[in-house]
Structure formats: structure tokens, C-alpha cells
Amino acid sequence: MANPVSGTEVLGYILLFFLVFGMSATVDINGVLKQLRNSRALCTGVFLQFIVLPFLGFLTVKMLALSNAMGITLLVVTSSPGGSFSNWWCSIFNADLALSVTMTAISTILAVIMLPLNLYIYIPLAFGTDDVDVVDILDFRALTTSLVVVIGAIGLGIYASDKVQHPNFHTLANRFGSFGGISLVILAGIHSSATDGAGLWEREPKYYLGVA
């Protein structure tokens, strides 16, 4: 039986929606359609996200001889899609936000297949055992919820960008997304400090080296 969804999780999903919707509502729909035809950039992004990054995570686990708990966590992170904070950083540094939003949508959908596949490949190679059940590691409910939230927010954001004609809408949407991003960082910091076990700043040095 699945564990009930906590209030922190619900708040996290709401803030995630704010972030993705705000960034997506900043871009023009024609810019997204243009990026969907940018096969070279998208294929490069997918290759780096789901081939190179998981392999680098595996190498890090092996070189630092991380424990099962830390190693599997790192493999899950490096095998996951880029996430919506990439959109935020692109917005802050005036990079190609349309490409970032498009890549976020594609990588989020592909993660449903590529995340479990990479874990099936790299966990036995990293720890020399087939005893770890990937199905037990992954929270498919959370994965599915995140997929729905991200794709829904991107779709609604782009639709709003196309339909709302107010001259300040894109600026307000960007600020709305930035609020969601900053709030998510704060929420993650509070949650990690309040969680039982080793706090964020109470771990072994190789944990921080592996994350870096």
C-alpha cells in the first residue's frame, strides 16, 4: 500500500507548477514550435541527459566507493530528467528559454522509460548485485505526478502565452515562475533539515564530492 501524500509533497507540486507555468508562459509558442524542429539540439540534449550523465554518475559511485544508500540516490539523480530549474537558470542568464522548455517536456516524458532502464543497467554494475529491486526504489506515483504537473504546466503556460495579450503578461509570468523556483529551494532546504537522519551538513565528505 502506497504511503499517503504529505503536505510538503503537495506544496512541492504546487510550487513546481508555479515554476514551470511561469517559465513556459514567458516563451512564445512559435519559438517552441521552432525548437521542436531543432533535432540536432534536442538529440544532443537527450544524449547528454540519458546517456552521458547516468554514466558519469556510475563512474562517480565506483570511484568514491559510495555506500548503497548514497550511490543509489546519486544514480537516481543522474538518471532523472533535467528538471525545471534549468528553465529558471536560462531565464536568469538570458539563454534560449524556448529550447529549455521544449527539452524539459521531452526529457520528462522520456524519463518514464529511461530512468528505470538506466537504473537497471547501472545498479548491478555499481554494486555487483542484482538483489536491488528498481521497482522498490522508484516511487512511480511521484514520478507520474511530476510528469503530469510538468507537462500540464508547460501546456497551460504556452497556451496562456499565446492567448493572453496583456503587454506585461510575460514579465509577470516570469516573476511568478521565479517565485515558485525560490520557494522550492527554500522548501527543500527546510525539509532536508527537518528530516530524520543525517542532516544536509552532517554527511561524509565524499557525499559532497559526489554531488559536486
Side-chain angles (χ1 to χ4, degrees), residues 78-132:
T78 56
S79 300
S80 297
S84 303
F85 277 103
S86 61
N87 308 151
W88 190 29
W89 289 117
C90 285
S91 175
I92 291 174
F93 292 104
N94 199 30
D96 194 333
L97 185 56
L99 176 59
S100 180
V101 169
T102 305
M103 189 63 220
T104 295
I106 292 174
S107 65
T108 301
I109 295 172
L110 290 178
V112 176
I113 297 173
M114 295 304 298
L115 173 56
L117 177 60
N118 276 314
L119 293 182
Y120 272 116
I121 293 172
Y122 287 116
I123 287 178
L125 291 176
F127 302 107
T129 178
D130 294 321
D131 295 338
V132 180

Short mmCIF file of all heavy atoms in Angstrom, two decimals, residues 78-132:
data_model
loop_
_atom_site.label_atom_id
_atom_site.label_comp_id
_atom_site.label_asym_id
_atom_site.label_seq_id
_atom_site.Cartn_x
_atom_site.Cartn_y
_atom_site.Cartn_z
N THR A 78 21.22 11.32 -11.28
CA THR A 78 21.87 11.49 -12.58
C THR A 78 21.10 10.82 -13.72
O THR A 78 21.35 11.12 -14.88
CB THR A 78 23.30 10.93 -12.55
OG1 THR A 78 23.28 9.55 -12.14
CG2 THR A 78 24.17 11.72 -11.59
N SER A 79 20.17 9.94 -13.40
CA SER A 79 19.35 9.29 -14.43
C SER A 79 18.01 9.99 -14.63
O SER A 79 17.26 9.62 -15.53
CB SER A 79 19.10 7.82 -14.05
OG SER A 79 20.30 7.10 -13.93
N SER A 80 17.74 10.99 -13.81
CA SER A 80 16.46 11.70 -13.89
C SER A 80 16.53 12.81 -14.93
O SER A 80 17.60 13.24 -15.34
CB SER A 80 16.12 12.30 -12.52
OG SER A 80 15.94 11.29 -11.55
N PRO A 81 15.36 13.29 -15.39
CA PRO A 81 15.35 14.41 -16.35
C PRO A 81 15.91 15.67 -15.72
O PRO A 81 15.98 15.79 -14.49
CB PRO A 81 13.87 14.56 -16.70
CG PRO A 81 13.14 13.96 -15.54
CD PRO A 81 14.00 12.85 -15.04
N GLY A 82 16.29 16.61 -16.57
CA GLY A 82 16.97 17.81 -16.11
C GLY A 82 16.17 18.63 -15.12
O GLY A 82 16.73 19.29 -14.26
N GLY A 83 14.87 18.60 -15.21
CA GLY A 83 14.05 19.34 -14.26
C GLY A 83 13.82 20.77 -14.70
O GLY A 83 14.40 21.26 -15.67
N SER A 84 12.98 21.44 -13.96
CA SER A 84 12.50 22.75 -14.37
C SER A 84 13.40 23.89 -13.91
O SER A 84 13.22 25.02 -14.36
CB SER A 84 11.09 22.95 -13.83
OG SER A 84 10.25 21.91 -14.28
N PHE A 85 14.34 23.62 -13.01
CA PHE A 85 15.24 24.69 -12.60
C PHE A 85 16.15 25.11 -13.76
O PHE A 85 16.66 26.23 -13.77
CB PHE A 85 16.08 24.26 -11.39
CG PHE A 85 15.35 24.43 -10.10
CD1 PHE A 85 14.80 23.34 -9.44
CD2 PHE A 85 15.19 25.69 -9.53
CE1 PHE A 85 14.12 23.49 -8.25
CE2 PHE A 85 14.52 25.86 -8.34
CZ PHE A 85 13.97 24.75 -7.69
N SER A 86 16.34 24.21 -14.74
CA SER A 86 17.11 24.62 -15.92
C SER A 86 16.41 25.76 -16.65
O SER A 86 17.06 26.67 -17.19
CB SER A 86 17.30 23.42 -16.86
OG SER A 86 16.05 22.94 -17.32
N ASN A 87 15.07 25.72 -16.68
CA ASN A 87 14.30 26.82 -17.29
C ASN A 87 14.56 28.13 -16.55
O ASN A 87 14.72 29.20 -17.15
CB ASN A 87 12.80 26.51 -17.27
CG ASN A 87 12.44 25.17 -17.86
OD1 ASN A 87 11.46 24.56 -17.48
ND2 ASN A 87 13.24 24.68 -18.79
N TRP A 88 14.60 28.02 -15.24
CA TRP A 88 14.80 29.21 -14.40
C TRP A 88 16.18 29.81 -14.64
O TRP A 88 16.32 31.02 -14.82
CB TRP A 88 14.61 28.81 -12.93
CG TRP A 88 14.56 29.96 -11.98
CD1 TRP A 88 14.13 31.23 -12.23
CD2 TRP A 88 14.97 29.95 -10.62
NE1 TRP A 88 14.23 32.01 -11.10
CE2 TRP A 88 14.74 31.24 -10.09
CE3 TRP A 88 15.49 28.98 -9.77
CZ2 TRP A 88 15.02 31.58 -8.78
CZ3 TRP A 88 15.76 29.30 -8.46
CH2 TRP A 88 15.53 30.59 -7.97
N TRP A 89 17.20 28.95 -14.68
CA TRP A 89 18.55 29.45 -14.92
C TRP A 89 18.67 30.07 -16.31
O TRP A 89 19.35 31.08 -16.49
CB TRP A 89 19.58 28.33 -14.76
CG TRP A 89 19.77 27.88 -13.35
CD1 TRP A 89 19.51 26.64 -12.83
CD2 TRP A 89 20.25 28.67 -12.25
NE1 TRP A 89 19.79 26.61 -11.49
CE2 TRP A 89 20.25 27.84 -11.11
CE3 TRP A 89 20.67 29.98 -12.13
CZ2 TRP A 89 20.66 28.28 -9.86
CZ3 TRP A 89 21.08 30.44 -10.88
CH2 TRP A 89 21.07 29.60 -9.77
N CYS A 90 18.02 29.46 -17.30
CA CYS A 90 18.04 30.03 -18.65
C CYS A 90 17.38 31.40 -18.66
O CYS A 90 17.84 32.32 -19.35
CB CYS A 90 17.31 29.11 -19.63
SG CYS A 90 18.25 27.64 -20.10
N SER A 91 16.31 31.55 -17.89
CA SER A 91 15.65 32.85 -17.81
C SER A 91 16.54 33.88 -17.14
O SER A 91 16.65 35.02 -17.60
CB SER A 91 14.33 32.70 -17.02
OG SER A 91 13.72 33.95 -16.81
N ILE A 92 17.21 33.48 -16.05
CA ILE A 92 18.06 34.42 -15.31
C ILE A 92 19.23 34.90 -16.17
O ILE A 92 19.56 36.10 -16.19
CB ILE A 92 18.59 33.75 -14.02
CG1 ILE A 92 17.44 33.54 -13.03
CG2 ILE A 92 19.70 34.60 -13.39
CD1 ILE A 92 17.84 32.76 -11.80
N PHE A 93 19.84 33.97 -16.94
CA PHE A 93 21.03 34.32 -17.72
C PHE A 93 20.71 34.61 -19.19
O PHE A 93 21.62 34.64 -20.03
CB PHE A 93 22.07 33.20 -17.61
CG PHE A 93 22.64 33.06 -16.23
CD1 PHE A 93 22.24 32.04 -15.38
CD2 PHE A 93 23.56 33.98 -15.76
CE1 PHE A 93 22.76 31.92 -14.10
CE2 PHE A 93 24.10 33.87 -14.49
CZ PHE A 93 23.69 32.84 -13.66
N ASN A 94 19.43 34.80 -19.48
CA ASN A 94 19.00 35.21 -20.82
C ASN A 94 19.45 34.22 -21.89
O ASN A 94 19.86 34.62 -22.99
CB ASN A 94 19.53 36.62 -21.14
CG ASN A 94 18.76 37.27 -22.27
OD1 ASN A 94 17.57 37.00 -22.47
ND2 ASN A 94 19.42 38.13 -23.03
N ALA A 95 19.37 32.93 -21.58
CA ALA A 95 19.68 31.89 -22.56
C ALA A 95 18.41 31.56 -23.36
O ALA A 95 17.40 32.25 -23.24
CB ALA A 95 20.22 30.65 -21.85
N ASP A 96 18.46 30.50 -24.16
CA ASP A 96 17.32 30.14 -25.02
C ASP A 96 16.26 29.43 -24.19
O ASP A 96 16.29 28.21 -24.03
CB ASP A 96 17.80 29.25 -26.16
CG ASP A 96 16.76 29.13 -27.28
OD1 ASP A 96 15.56 29.26 -26.98
OD2 ASP A 96 17.17 28.90 -28.42
N LEU A 97 15.31 30.20 -23.66
CA LEU A 97 14.29 29.63 -22.78
C LEU A 97 13.35 28.71 -23.53
O LEU A 97 12.90 27.69 -22.99
CB LEU A 97 13.51 30.76 -22.11
CG LEU A 97 12.48 30.35 -21.06
CD1 LEU A 97 13.11 29.51 -19.96
CD2 LEU A 97 11.81 31.60 -20.46
N ALA A 98 13.03 29.02 -24.78
CA ALA A 98 12.14 28.17 -25.57
C ALA A 98 12.74 26.78 -25.75
O ALA A 98 12.04 25.76 -25.64
CB ALA A 98 11.87 28.81 -26.93
N LEU A 99 14.05 26.72 -26.03
CA LEU A 99 14.72 25.43 -26.16
C LEU A 99 14.72 24.68 -24.83
O LEU A 99 14.49 23.47 -24.79
CB LEU A 99 16.15 25.64 -26.65
CG LEU A 99 17.02 24.38 -26.76
CD1 LEU A 99 16.40 23.37 -27.71
CD2 LEU A 99 18.44 24.74 -27.21
N SER A 100 14.95 25.39 -23.74
CA SER A 100 14.97 24.78 -22.42
C SER A 100 13.62 24.19 -22.06
O SER A 100 13.52 23.06 -21.56
CB SER A 100 15.40 25.79 -21.37
OG SER A 100 15.42 25.21 -20.08
N VAL A 101 12.54 24.93 -22.32
CA VAL A 101 11.19 24.45 -22.02
C VAL A 101 10.86 23.23 -22.87
O VAL A 101 10.30 22.24 -22.38
CB VAL A 101 10.16 25.57 -22.24
CG1 VAL A 101 8.74 25.03 -22.20
CG2 VAL A 101 10.33 26.67 -21.19
N THR A 102 11.22 23.29 -24.14
CA THR A 102 10.98 22.15 -25.04
C THR A 102 11.73 20.92 -24.58
O THR A 102 11.19 19.81 -24.54
CB THR A 102 11.39 22.51 -26.48
OG1 THR A 102 10.73 23.71 -26.89
CG2 THR A 102 11.04 21.39 -27.44
N MET A 103 12.99 21.11 -24.20
CA MET A 103 13.81 19.99 -23.73
C MET A 103 13.27 19.43 -22.42
O MET A 103 13.30 18.21 -22.19
CB MET A 103 15.26 20.48 -23.55
CG MET A 103 16.26 19.37 -23.27
SD MET A 103 16.39 18.19 -24.62
CE MET A 103 16.51 16.67 -23.70
N THR A 104 12.76 20.29 -21.55
CA THR A 104 12.18 19.83 -20.30
C THR A 104 10.99 18.91 -20.55
O THR A 104 10.85 17.85 -19.93
CB THR A 104 11.73 21.02 -19.43
OG1 THR A 104 12.87 21.78 -19.05
CG2 THR A 104 11.00 20.55 -18.18
N ALA A 105 10.13 19.30 -21.49
CA ALA A 105 8.95 18.49 -21.82
C ALA A 105 9.36 17.13 -22.37
O ALA A 105 8.86 16.08 -21.95
CB ALA A 105 8.06 19.22 -22.82
N ILE A 106 10.32 17.13 -23.30
CA ILE A 106 10.74 15.87 -23.93
C ILE A 106 11.45 14.96 -22.94
O ILE A 106 11.17 13.76 -22.86
CB ILE A 106 11.66 16.18 -25.14
CG1 ILE A 106 10.85 16.85 -26.24
CG2 ILE A 106 12.32 14.90 -25.65
CD1 ILE A 106 11.68 17.33 -27.41
N SER A 107 12.36 15.52 -22.14
CA SER A 107 13.11 14.69 -21.19
C SER A 107 12.21 14.16 -20.08
O SER A 107 12.43 13.04 -19.59
CB SER A 107 14.28 15.49 -20.60
OG SER A 107 13.82 16.57 -19.83
N THR A 108 11.19 14.93 -19.70
CA THR A 108 10.27 14.45 -18.66
C THR A 108 9.48 13.24 -19.15
O THR A 108 9.29 12.26 -18.42
CB THR A 108 9.30 15.58 -18.26
OG1 THR A 108 10.05 16.69 -17.75
CG2 THR A 108 8.33 15.10 -17.18
N ILE A 109 9.05 13.27 -20.41
CA ILE A 109 8.30 12.14 -20.97
C ILE A 109 9.22 10.93 -21.14
O ILE A 109 8.86 9.80 -20.77
CB ILE A 109 7.68 12.54 -22.32
CG1 ILE A 109 6.62 13.63 -22.11
CG2 ILE A 109 7.07 11.33 -23.02
CD1 ILE A 109 6.08 14.23 -23.40
N LEU A 110 10.42 11.15 -21.68
CA LEU A 110 11.36 10.04 -21.89
C LEU A 110 11.81 9.41 -20.58
O LEU A 110 12.17 8.23 -20.55
CB LEU A 110 12.58 10.53 -22.67
CG LEU A 110 12.35 10.88 -24.14
CD1 LEU A 110 13.64 11.38 -24.77
CD2 LEU A 110 11.84 9.66 -24.91
N ALA A 111 11.80 10.18 -19.49
CA ALA A 111 12.26 9.66 -18.20
C ALA A 111 11.42 8.50 -17.70
O ALA A 111 11.91 7.67 -16.92
CB ALA A 111 12.25 10.78 -17.16
N VAL A 112 10.18 8.41 -18.14
CA VAL A 112 9.32 7.29 -17.72
C VAL A 112 9.95 5.96 -18.13
O VAL A 112 9.84 4.96 -17.42
CB VAL A 112 7.92 7.44 -18.35
CG1 VAL A 112 7.05 6.24 -18.01
CG2 VAL A 112 7.25 8.71 -17.87
N ILE A 113 10.66 5.96 -19.27
CA ILE A 113 11.34 4.75 -19.74
C ILE A 113 12.82 4.75 -19.37
O ILE A 113 13.36 3.77 -18.86
CB ILE A 113 11.20 4.62 -21.28
CG1 ILE A 113 9.73 4.46 -21.66
CG2 ILE A 113 12.03 3.44 -21.80
CD1 ILE A 113 9.48 4.48 -23.15
N MET A 114 13.48 5.89 -19.58
CA MET A 114 14.93 5.93 -19.45
C MET A 114 15.42 5.89 -18.01
O MET A 114 16.49 5.34 -17.73
CB MET A 114 15.48 7.19 -20.13
CG MET A 114 15.28 7.23 -21.63
SD MET A 114 15.97 5.79 -22.47
CE MET A 114 17.70 5.94 -22.07
N LEU A 115 14.67 6.44 -17.07
CA LEU A 115 15.08 6.40 -15.66
C LEU A 115 15.14 4.98 -15.14
O LEU A 115 16.19 4.55 -14.63
CB LEU A 115 14.14 7.27 -14.81
CG LEU A 115 14.32 7.22 -13.30
CD1 LEU A 115 15.75 7.59 -12.90
CD2 LEU A 115 13.34 8.17 -12.61
N PRO A 116 14.06 4.17 -15.25
CA PRO A 116 14.18 2.77 -14.79
C PRO A 116 15.22 1.98 -15.58
O PRO A 116 15.95 1.16 -15.01
CB PRO A 116 12.77 2.20 -15.03
CG PRO A 116 11.88 3.39 -15.11
CD PRO A 116 12.71 4.48 -15.71
N LEU A 117 15.33 2.23 -16.90
CA LEU A 117 16.28 1.49 -17.72
C LEU A 117 17.72 1.73 -17.27
O LEU A 117 18.51 0.78 -17.12
CB LEU A 117 16.12 1.90 -19.19
CG LEU A 117 17.10 1.24 -20.18
CD1 LEU A 117 16.94 -0.28 -20.17
CD2 LEU A 117 16.89 1.80 -21.58
N ASN A 118 18.08 2.99 -17.03
CA ASN A 118 19.43 3.29 -16.58
C ASN A 118 19.72 2.70 -15.20
O ASN A 118 20.85 2.23 -14.94
CB ASN A 118 19.66 4.81 -16.55
CG ASN A 118 20.06 5.36 -17.90
OD1 ASN A 118 20.93 4.80 -18.57
ND2 ASN A 118 19.44 6.44 -18.33
N LEU A 119 18.73 2.70 -14.34
CA LEU A 119 18.94 2.09 -13.01
C LEU A 119 19.11 0.58 -13.12
O LEU A 119 19.94 -0.01 -12.41
CB LEU A 119 17.76 2.43 -12.09
CG LEU A 119 17.62 3.91 -11.72
CD1 LEU A 119 16.45 4.11 -10.77
CD2 LEU A 119 18.90 4.44 -11.08
N TYR A 120 18.35 -0.06 -14.01
CA TYR A 120 18.52 -1.50 -14.23
C TYR A 120 19.92 -1.81 -14.76
O TYR A 120 20.50 -2.87 -14.45
CB TYR A 120 17.48 -2.01 -15.24
CG TYR A 120 16.17 -2.43 -14.62
CD1 TYR A 120 14.99 -1.76 -14.92
CD2 TYR A 120 16.10 -3.52 -13.74
CE1 TYR A 120 13.78 -2.14 -14.36
CE2 TYR A 120 14.90 -3.91 -13.18
CZ TYR A 120 13.74 -3.22 -13.49
OH TYR A 120 12.55 -3.60 -12.93
N ILE A 121 20.48 -0.91 -15.54
CA ILE A 121 21.82 -1.13 -16.11
C ILE A 121 22.91 -0.87 -15.07
O ILE A 121 23.82 -1.69 -14.88
CB ILE A 121 22.04 -0.22 -17.34
CG1 ILE A 121 21.11 -0.64 -18.48
CG2 ILE A 121 23.50 -0.26 -17.79
CD1 ILE A 121 21.12 0.32 -19.66
N TYR A 122 22.83 0.27 -14.39
CA TYR A 122 23.97 0.74 -13.60
C TYR A 122 23.99 0.26 -12.14
O TYR A 122 25.08 0.18 -11.56
CB TYR A 122 24.04 2.27 -13.64
CG TYR A 122 24.50 2.78 -14.98
CD1 TYR A 122 23.66 3.55 -15.78
CD2 TYR A 122 25.77 2.47 -15.46
CE1 TYR A 122 24.08 4.01 -17.02
CE2 TYR A 122 26.20 2.92 -16.69
CZ TYR A 122 25.35 3.69 -17.47
OH TYR A 122 25.77 4.14 -18.69
N ILE A 123 22.86 -0.03 -11.54
CA ILE A 123 22.90 -0.50 -10.15
C ILE A 123 23.65 -1.83 -10.02
O ILE A 123 24.53 -1.96 -9.16
CB ILE A 123 21.48 -0.58 -9.56
CG1 ILE A 123 20.95 0.83 -9.29
CG2 ILE A 123 21.47 -1.40 -8.27
CD1 ILE A 123 19.53 0.87 -8.74
N PRO A 124 23.35 -2.84 -10.87
CA PRO A 124 24.15 -4.08 -10.75
C PRO A 124 25.63 -3.86 -11.06
O PRO A 124 26.50 -4.46 -10.42
CB PRO A 124 23.51 -5.00 -11.81
CG PRO A 124 22.13 -4.47 -11.99
CD PRO A 124 22.25 -2.99 -11.83
N LEU A 125 25.94 -2.99 -12.02
CA LEU A 125 27.34 -2.72 -12.35
C LEU A 125 28.05 -1.99 -11.22
O LEU A 125 29.23 -2.23 -10.95
CB LEU A 125 27.42 -1.88 -13.63
CG LEU A 125 27.01 -2.56 -14.93
CD1 LEU A 125 27.05 -1.57 -16.09
CD2 LEU A 125 27.92 -3.76 -15.23
N ALA A 126 27.34 -1.10 -10.53
CA ALA A 126 27.95 -0.30 -9.47
C ALA A 126 28.17 -1.09 -8.19
O ALA A 126 29.18 -0.90 -7.49
CB ALA A 126 27.11 0.94 -9.19
N PHE A 127 27.25 -1.99 -7.87
CA PHE A 127 27.30 -2.66 -6.57
C PHE A 127 27.52 -4.17 -6.68
O PHE A 127 27.58 -4.86 -5.67
CB PHE A 127 26.01 -2.38 -5.79
CG PHE A 127 25.77 -0.90 -5.58
CD1 PHE A 127 24.77 -0.25 -6.29
CD2 PHE A 127 26.55 -0.16 -4.71
CE1 PHE A 127 24.55 1.11 -6.11
CE2 PHE A 127 26.33 1.19 -4.52
CZ PHE A 127 25.34 1.83 -5.23
N GLY A 128 27.61 -4.68 -7.93
CA GLY A 128 27.90 -6.09 -8.13
C GLY A 128 26.83 -7.02 -7.60
O GLY A 128 27.12 -8.12 -7.17
N THR A 129 25.59 -6.58 -7.65
CA THR A 129 24.50 -7.41 -7.17
C THR A 129 23.24 -7.13 -7.95
O THR A 129 23.04 -6.02 -8.45
CB THR A 129 24.22 -7.16 -5.67
OG1 THR A 129 23.11 -7.96 -5.26
CG2 THR A 129 23.89 -5.68 -5.42
N ASP A 130 22.42 -8.15 -8.08
CA ASP A 130 21.11 -7.99 -8.73
C ASP A 130 19.99 -8.00 -7.70
O ASP A 130 18.80 -8.06 -8.05
CB ASP A 130 20.87 -9.14 -9.73
CG ASP A 130 21.85 -9.09 -10.89
OD1 ASP A 130 22.15 -7.98 -11.35
OD2 ASP A 130 22.30 -10.16 -11.34
N ASP A 131 20.36 -7.91 -6.41
CA ASP A 131 19.36 -8.01 -5.35
C ASP A 131 18.53 -6.74 -5.19
O ASP A 131 17.47 -6.76 -4.58
CB ASP A 131 20.04 -8.33 -4.01
CG ASP A 131 20.70 -9.71 -4.03
OD1 ASP A 131 20.28 -10.54 -4.86
OD2 ASP A 131 21.63 -9.92 -3.23
N VAL A 132 19.04 -5.61 -5.69
CA VAL A 132 18.32 -4.35 -5.54
C VAL A 132 17.19 -4.29 -6.56
O VAL A 132 17.42 -4.40 -7.77
CB VAL A 132 19.27 -3.15 -5.73
CG1 VAL A 132 18.50 -1.84 -5.57
CG2 VAL A 132 20.41 -3.22 -4.73
#
